Amino acid sequence: MSLSHSPASGATAADGNLFTALRGAFPADLDACAIEVADGPDTGKRYSWRDLDRATAMIANLLDSLDLPAGSRIAAQTEKSVEALLLYLAVLRAGHVYLPLNTAYQAAELDYFIGNAEPAVVVCAGKHFGWVSKLAFQAKVPWVFTLNEDRTGTLLDRAVQMSDQHTPARRAAEDLAAILYTSGTTGRSKGAMLSHGNLLSNAQVLKDVWGWQPDDVLIHALPIFHVHGLFVASHGALLAGARMIWFSKFEPRGVIARLPQATVFMGVPTLYVRLLEQATLTRETCARMRLFISGSAPLLIETFQDWQHRTGHTILERYGMSETVMLTSNPYRSEDGERVGGTVGLPLPGVGLRVVDDAGQPCPADEIGHLQVRGPNVFGGYWRMPEKTREEFTADGWFKTGDVGRRDGRGYVTIVGRSKDLIISGGFNVYPAEIEGWLNELPGVAESAVVGVPHPDFGEGVIAVVVPRPGASLEGPALIAALKDRIANFKVPKQVFIESELPRNAMGKVQKNLLRERHRQLFG
């Protein structure tokens, strides 16, 4: 898309549209750099704030030209690029609902998402157009566009013909802005419905809590198909009018080389482990940085301490979910308290958090129980799953996170486990029941059990124990290869063990705790 300069369109009077708030935070100098590309063939390319305004206007005008009903779902499964971020912003600008999909999802998974969400538009990478468009058109999706990392594709070809002036659609705070699919423990994915108000309220709180300023520079090295990269990182920089250094993929040496020009970095624990492996990570390279943030998975205390020793900085850990965006954070300012390794800090302003026992009664300090939350950031429910939504909220309106933890006397929250066997591998949620469902459909498989065990790089590694049918001969590598054709790679077990039976208790329930203990040292 050509981004030659022309007068920028102004934001409308204040309303509930998240885009309007983000656009209103653009700096007065629209020709200043908003995003600088740090890798790939476009290394060094700069996008001004005016470019962001014009490009989102053109894409929003394209969406308007399709005569879509207000609030239509726009599904996107594309590689990370600045243009992919602009698509997200344009969807908000046009008053529709953004549906980001992990680039690792395979055909069976995408088929479910398209069938469940019924998007009016699907945007995919050009290399996947053949099979994605087939699924989309079978589901009667009227529009399929392509968008590639090199700024080519039919979406931009059409958008460049549109006007670069666009008045953002007026939306109420409670109107739907995005649907994020999160796998369910039953194997059926659930679409968490996040409103403009959910996302904006959380971004505004984080702007203050983390001290965002216009002169900040964020190294953006996260994917943009989930909460961490798409909302927490992007909204933070945009709402502050701060520049982003944009990496399409995380590469530790490249990130370290840009630390002297940056002030903020966000990553999952795996990224910090990778950075610590580099000799170039020193106190000198981090001298200008003011904040390192970690989330999406537990940060090992060893990583927390190693980072302090190597860089002189203390990582800020926080806690959030697809259904709630951010919930807690360790303090940024020293006067608000210390950053305590192994904890996820204190509830954010406006967020209620309680720890309850199995009977729903409050737990005293330091006693482990179920975490429940409420606040303006908490989602409205699961897309087209009213019964599931009711199940996940208490009678008095608190959301059951499914996480187990405790609060100390100061209010700091520690996550000690996850109910329903959730595995977090490399920052991605993996639900065993979903993987077991795929395994059990494979020829010769009688039953299976999937668990997570400690992994030095990913936090947890997914493994499976499979019992063959009588007379069947199974091999782990062959089962892994079969799964790779069906599900996202981060869900595929790293090892599959063939055993004659699964350990069970007297009630016949599989004792996954025994499997986890048996293979605890598998990855060292």
Side-chain angles (χ1 to χ4, degrees), residues 10 35 68 125 189 218 227 252 254 317 321 325 372 380 383 404 433 437 459 504 519:
I35 303 176
L68 308 176
S189 294
L218 169 72
V227 164
E317 290 184 79
M321 304 177 66
V325 204
Q372 298 179 352
W383 174 257
V404 178
R504 299 180 183 276
H519 299 287

Side-chain angles (χ1 to χ4, degrees), residues 254-334:
V255 167
I256 292 171
R258 298 308 298 267
L259 289 176
Q261 292 93 48
T263 63
V264 181
F265 175 79
M266 298 183 191
V268 300
T270 303
L271 304 194
Y272 286 100
V273 172
R274 293 278 191 263
L275 290 168
L276 283 165
E277 293 171 351
Q278 304 299 315
T280 51
L281 180 71
T282 64
R283 289 178 180 243
E284 289 70 28
T285 55
C286 299
R288 187 172 181 264
M289 294 292 295
R290 70 169 183 88
L291 186 57
F292 290 96
I293 299 172
S294 179
S296 299
L299 183 73
L300 295 177
I301 193 66
E302 291 85 357
T303 305
F304 180 83
Q305 293 169 345
D306 288 349
W307 193 268
Q308 280 182 315
H309 177 71
R310 282 278 295 280
T311 71
H313 287 269
T314 301
I315 294 173
L316 183 151
E317 290 184 79
R318 86 301 179 278
Y319 164 56
M321 304 177 66
S322 296
E323 292 93 339
T324 65
V325 204
M326 292 302 99
L327 292 163
T328 73
S329 173
N330 268 271
Y332 163 62
R333 302 174 181 89
S334 59

